[in-house]
């Protein structure tokens, strides 16, 4: 098996995790295993790595890639939004570091049969976990027009959401929309000529919105962040890579709140204490060289937080 793909912001992420050779680490989004491999290389016999993924295929391929470190790695199938339950399942209390690389993985996007891509015709699926029951087919063919418009607006930031939702409903009244190609055509018919001439594919935002809805991606990110911080040991680091503004907005907000502590001013009555310090107020971005080598890295943002050893004063509110 050949692993030629380099994970996004790989060097920056591994350096930022400040890995202890005998520590316990979590890769909450195993994917192709690039980040996990670099973590595993830095662990001694006393170290441990937990690899989580919603996709069983990723876990199987990850196990092959990480075979040299099999004795130190535990593979867990599940949604990182259920982090507490997954760590309990593995018999782990607190850890020294966690990494989450959000969004759809390259193997999922590149496999036409998974139905994530608007570039190839395939069955409407888009499930990150093939054991889940909700598919893109159900969303497209059964959800009410108002709900379609809502997710296209909220998750896709699609300015033609109303017209697209209407076009989807008209198309499915004639026959179910069964494939990604049929969905792309319905979207194209709803778009004005000027929008079709834009550089971005006309279906990109709609496919993103439907994928997020199918996999409850934003809800999972919020739940993960709320569970991850308490499971970090003092000095442990949390690294989160996001790829679009909706994800990054949640990460930025949750980490800022955890760093801020008290929310009642000028006199504290809530009793909340800062849980983390922000390692960097600005997100870490990929270099131009990485973007040139991997265009998918263009929108990536890495945000970092470190668990505090003891309560400290509030950090400034400004986080970029």
């Amino acid at each position: 098996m050949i692993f030629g793909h380099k994970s996004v912001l790989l060097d920056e992420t591994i350096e930022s995790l400040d890995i202890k050779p005998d520590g316990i680490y979590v890769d909450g989004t195993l994917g192709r295993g690039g980040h996990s491999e670099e973590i595993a290389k830095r662990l001694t016999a006393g170290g441990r790595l937990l690899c989580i993924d919603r996709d069983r295929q990723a876990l199987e391929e990850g196990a092959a890639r990480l075979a040299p470190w099999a004795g130190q790695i535990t593979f867990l199938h599940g949604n990182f939004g259920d982090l507490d339950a997954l760590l309990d399942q593995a018999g782990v209390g607190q850890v020294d570091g966690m990494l989450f690389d959000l969004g759809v993985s390259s193997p999922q996007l590149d496999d036409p049969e998974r139905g994530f891509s608007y570039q190839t015709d395939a069955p409407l699926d888009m499930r990150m976990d093939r054991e889940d029951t909700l598919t893109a087919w159900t969303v497209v063919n059964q959800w009410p027009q108002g709900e379609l418009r809502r997710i296209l607006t909220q998750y896709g930031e699609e300015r033609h959401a109303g017209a697209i939702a209407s076009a989807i409903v008209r198309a499915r009244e004639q026959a179910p929309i069964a494939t990604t190609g049929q969905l792309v055509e319905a979207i194209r018919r709803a778009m004005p000529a000027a929008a079709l001439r834009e550089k971005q594919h006309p279906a990109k935002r709609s496919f993103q919105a439907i994928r997020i809805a199918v996999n409850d991606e934003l809800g999972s990110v919020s739940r993960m962040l709320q569970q991850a911080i308490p499971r970090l040991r003092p000095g442990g680091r949390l690294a989160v890579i996001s790829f679009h503004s909706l994800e990054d907005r949640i990460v930025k907000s949750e980490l800022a709140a955890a760093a801020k502590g008290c929310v009642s001013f000028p006199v504290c009555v809530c009793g909340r204490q800062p849980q983390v310090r922000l390692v960097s107020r600005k997100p870490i971005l990929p270099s131009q060289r990485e973007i040139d080598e991997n265009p998918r890295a263009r929108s990536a943002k890495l945000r970092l937080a470190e668990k505090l050893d003891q309560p400290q004063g509030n950090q400034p509110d400004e986080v970029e």
Side-chain angles (χ1 to χ4, degrees):
M1 193 173 294
I2 298 173
F3 303 98
H5 173 76
K6 184 178 180 181
S7 300
V8 171
L9 289 165
L10 178 61
D11 296 336
E12 295 87 344
T13 301
I14 299 302
E15 179 182 353
S16 298
L17 283 173
D18 192 23
I19 296 168
K20 301 175 182 177
D22 60 348
I24 301 176
Y25 291 87
V26 173
D27 184 347
T29 44
L30 175 61
R32 281 184 170 170
H35 289 111
S36 281
E37 182 176 18
E38 292 303 317
I39 295 172
K41 286 178 180 178
R42 289 161 172 78
L43 298 178
T44 60
R48 186 176 179 189
L49 174 61
L50 308 177
C51 296
I52 300 170
D53 208 286
R54 301 174 71 169
D55 191 340
R56 287 197 183 275
Q57 183 177 345
L59 293 171
E60 292 169 1
E61 293 180 359
R65 178 172 188 167
L66 300 171
W69 305 277
Q72 296 166 265
I73 299 177
T74 302
F75 295 94
L76 299 168
H77 175 243
N79 184 335
F80 59 56
D82 302 318
L83 183 65
D84 276 335
L86 290 166
L87 293 185
D88 289 345
Q89 175 188 330
V92 172
Q94 291 187 307
V95 304
D96 296 286
M98 300 189 198
L99 160 68
F100 298 91
D101 185 355
L102 307 180
V104 64
S105 69
S106 293
Q108 292 168 337
L109 193 62
D110 294 338
D111 182 355
E113 291 306 310
R114 302 296 295 268
F116 286 100
S117 176
Y118 43 78
Q119 303 284 8
T120 56
D121 194 22
L124 271 177
D125 193 326
M126 299 194 192
R127 289 174 298 173
M128 293 179 175
D129 184 348
R130 285 177 157 173
E131 296 176 21
D132 287 343
T133 56
L134 181 62
T135 67
W137 189 97
T138 304
V139 171
V140 169
N141 288 285
Q142 296 184 356
W143 281 19
Q145 181 173 332
E147 186 65 1
L148 288 174
R149 179 173 184 168
R150 181 190 70 81
I151 66 169
L152 292 172
T153 301
Q154 185 174 343
Y155 299 158
E157 300 176 298
E158 173 56 69
R159 61 186 182 276
H160 304 295
I164 292 172
S166 179
I168 288 173
V169 170
R170 287 197 303 272
R172 76 189 191 189
E173 286 174 348
Q174 303 301 313
I177 301 173
T179 70
T180 54
Q182 292 171 3
L183 178 58
V184 168
E185 285 308 306
I187 294 169
R188 284 186 182 277
R189 288 195 292 271
M191 302 284 272
L196 294 175
R197 290 193 295 268
E198 293 177 0
K199 184 177 181 180
Q200 180 171 272
H201 192 286
K204 181 177 180 179
R205 290 183 290 266
S206 295
F207 268 61
Q208 171 183 294
I210 295 167
R211 188 200 81 217
I212 288 174
V214 167
N215 297 286
D216 186 27
E217 292 179 40
L218 302 184
S220 295
V221 170
S222 182
R223 294 194 304 273
M224 172 272 288
L225 290 165
Q226 293 168 17
Q227 296 171 50
I229 292 172
R231 302 300 286 248
L232 282 172
R233 288 175 177 157
R237 290 198 169 183
L238 172 63
V240 185
I241 302 172
S242 60
F243 288 86
H244 60 72
S245 60
L246 298 175
E247 294 171 336
D248 184 60
R249 199 174 301 151
I250 294 172
V251 177
K252 175 181 174 180
S253 174
E254 292 283 357
L255 294 186
K260 185 176 181 180
C262 179
V263 294
S264 55
F265 291 97
V267 178
C268 178
V269 295
C270 69
R272 290 180 54 181
Q273 297 290 336
Q275 301 176 69
V276 301
R277 75 172 183 91
L278 303 180
V279 177
S280 173
R281 304 224 166 262
K282 293 183 178 181
I284 297 173
L285 306 178
S287 66
Q288 187 58 52
R289 178 177 178 179
E290 179 172 5
I291 293 171
D292 292 340
E293 294 175 352
N294 179 15
R296 287 181 182 170
R298 183 177 302 278
S299 59
K301 293 182 177 181
L302 169 62
R303 293 190 183 271
L304 301 160
E306 181 178 291
K307 185 72 174 288
L308 292 174
D309 189 10
Q310 57 187 4
Q312 298 181 10
N314 286 333
Q315 296 189 38
D317 294 337
E318 295 81 7
V319 180
E320 297 183 22

